[in-house]
Amino acid sequence: STAKAAERPTARLPFRQQARHESTQITPAPTLYDDTNLGKTDLHDLHLAHGAKMVPFGGYSMPVQYSDLGVGESHKWTREKASIFDVGHMVQYHVEGPGAEAFLESITPAGVKDLEPGSSTLSALLHPETGGIVDDCIITRLEEGPKHLFYVVLNAGCRTKDHEFLNKALANWDNTVNPVVTFRHLQA
């Protein structure tokens, strides 16, 4: 009978097949600031309070120099003491799921399967047809185990190009039977 057929267990795959709605887009979609609509990092007000000259960079208002030091003096200060670099404008993602390692290895030359939690590698996004470099990136493994969680940082100046590249790579990944990948943009 049809009731008995509906009660039969279905065969389990060793991994869950890609659910097409899960990774076809990066979520949430990043705010793509530009020179006419500048974003502000969490340190923006701190920069202003310390006399920063702000300029557009990668769609964000970023400090280029401080009023109390010239370029040479600033360089010397940093070499002798320390300075901070505001990375709030950089593009940051969490990549996770059973397919995270394979996906990252399909778009970069990095061997991320060997990364220990807390370890990073400098890598590059590679054009699928030519192998040319789309952009450089830093990949950090945050967790092993069932999450396979990675933190990926990309250049702010290539935000739009990289976003388009990653969405296309995810769409191509979705058209296979590869395990699920979740790509989550971390808003600065």
Side-chain angles (χ1 to χ4, degrees):
S1 87
T2 55
K4 285 193 177 221
E7 292 175 354
R8 273 188 245 145
T10 57
R12 294 269 178 184
L13 295 173
F15 56 82
R16 191 162 61 108
Q17 276 193 340
Q18 184 75 352
R20 300 294 173 234
H21 67 280
E22 288 191 52
S23 65
T24 54
Q25 295 292 319
I26 297 170
T27 59
T31 302
L32 299 176
Y33 296 111
D34 60 31
D35 288 349
T36 61
N37 177 32
L38 292 175
K40 295 178 182 175
T41 71
D42 289 341
L43 298 178
H44 185 266
D45 292 340
L46 178 75
H47 294 306
L48 292 177
H50 286 86
K53 176 184 175 187
M54 306 299 278
V55 298
F57 178 78
Y60 280 78
S61 178
M62 297 298 294
V64 68
Q65 187 176 356
Y66 290 86
S67 60
D68 60 339
L69 294 174
V71 174
E73 294 167 308
S74 178
H75 171 80
K76 185 177 178 186
W77 173 273
T78 300
R79 298 287 292 177
E80 293 176 356
K81 296 176 173 100
S83 292
I84 62 169
F85 178 70
D86 186 348
V87 297
H89 68 293
M90 298 185 82
V91 184
Q92 304 165 57
Y93 295 101
H94 274 167
V95 183
E96 66 182 291
E101 292 169 345
F103 177 74
L104 289 171
E105 289 184 348
S106 77
I107 61 171
T108 72
V112 299
K113 288 181 183 173
D114 297 331
L115 277 179
E116 295 291 325
S119 297
S120 300
T121 186
L122 180 61
S123 193
L125 302 177
L126 298 181
H127 191 277
E129 283 86 34
T130 65
I133 295 174
V134 175
D135 193 10
D136 61 330
C137 62
I138 299 171
I139 303 170
T140 303
R141 179 187 287 276
L142 297 179
E143 291 181 29
E144 286 186 292
K147 282 187 122 179
H148 299 287
L149 180 59
F150 292 88
Y151 175 61
V152 178
V153 179
L154 300 163
N155 288 308
C158 299
R159 180 181 310 273
T160 301
K161 175 182 70 163
D162 291 347
H163 181 72
E164 290 169 1
F165 171 84
L166 291 169
N167 270 322
K168 184 176 179 183
L170 284 168
N172 290 340
W173 187 260
D174 283 349
N175 290 325
T176 68
V177 293
N178 289 309
V180 171
V181 174
T182 303
F183 225 92
R184 195 164 29 101
H185 178 258
L186 306 175
Q187 193 69 42

